[in-house]
Amino acid sequence: MPPYATQRHRVRVTVCRGCCCGTARKHPDTDHDGQLDALRAGLAGVAVVRAVPDCLGPCERSNVVVVVPSPAGRAAGGRPTWLGGVLDEETVEAVADWVTRGGPGVAEPPRALRDLRFPTPATTKS
């Protein structure tokens, strides 16, 4: 059994569904619900996939997906990977493929995702 097989050892995939991500208003040609369904189906038993209704912040990069490494991936140097512009089936499939192979710290991201990565946004304290 691979180390990411139990829920606490899985990669976590967070899909933004805040103010801009996941809306037909900004991306009318994208099947947002279909993307989320495809990630959940493709990663069932492999990763924890959750959609968050709160904006993750970098609206100019919508649709945003954050891939958080498993404990094994983190131990190997993996860090959360922020992806922007996750707007089509091919990109969703590339995310699912990468996570299935172990995700950050375990497997290199596929070429299709390399240009979509961006640094973790700075957070502001009020």
Side-chain angles (χ1 to χ4, degrees):
M1 180 181 305
Y4 49 85
T6 62
Q7 185 149 342
R8 65 179 255 205
H9 289 100
R10 292 182 188 165
V11 173
R12 291 187 324 253
V13 178
T14 301
V15 180
C16 183
R17 287 299 182 248
C19 64
C20 296
C21 296
T23 65
R25 176 176 41 95
K26 188 166 185 178
H27 302 289
D29 296 330
T30 300
D31 179 2
H32 303 283
D33 292 335
Q35 285 184 335
L36 190 54
D37 291 344
L39 280 172
R40 286 181 170 148
L43 295 173
V46 174
V48 176
V49 178
R50 67 186 183 118
V52 294
D54 298 325
C55 179
L56 293 177
C59 297
E60 70 280 1
R61 297 183 183 266
S62 68
N63 286 341
V64 174
V65 172
V66 183
V67 181
V68 178
S70 64
R74 189 168 288 277
R79 297 293 173 257
T81 301
W82 288 67
L83 303 166
V86 180
L87 295 169
D88 56 46
E89 286 182 36
E90 293 80 17
T91 306
V92 169
E93 288 173 10
V95 171
D97 173 63
W98 180 39
V99 171
T100 299
R101 292 183 296 109
V106 175
E108 284 295 315
R111 184 174 308 278
L113 299 181
R114 291 184 190 149
D115 291 340
L116 301 181
R117 295 180 296 183
F118 63 95
T120 302
T123 56
T124 57
K125 305 245 181 197
S126 348

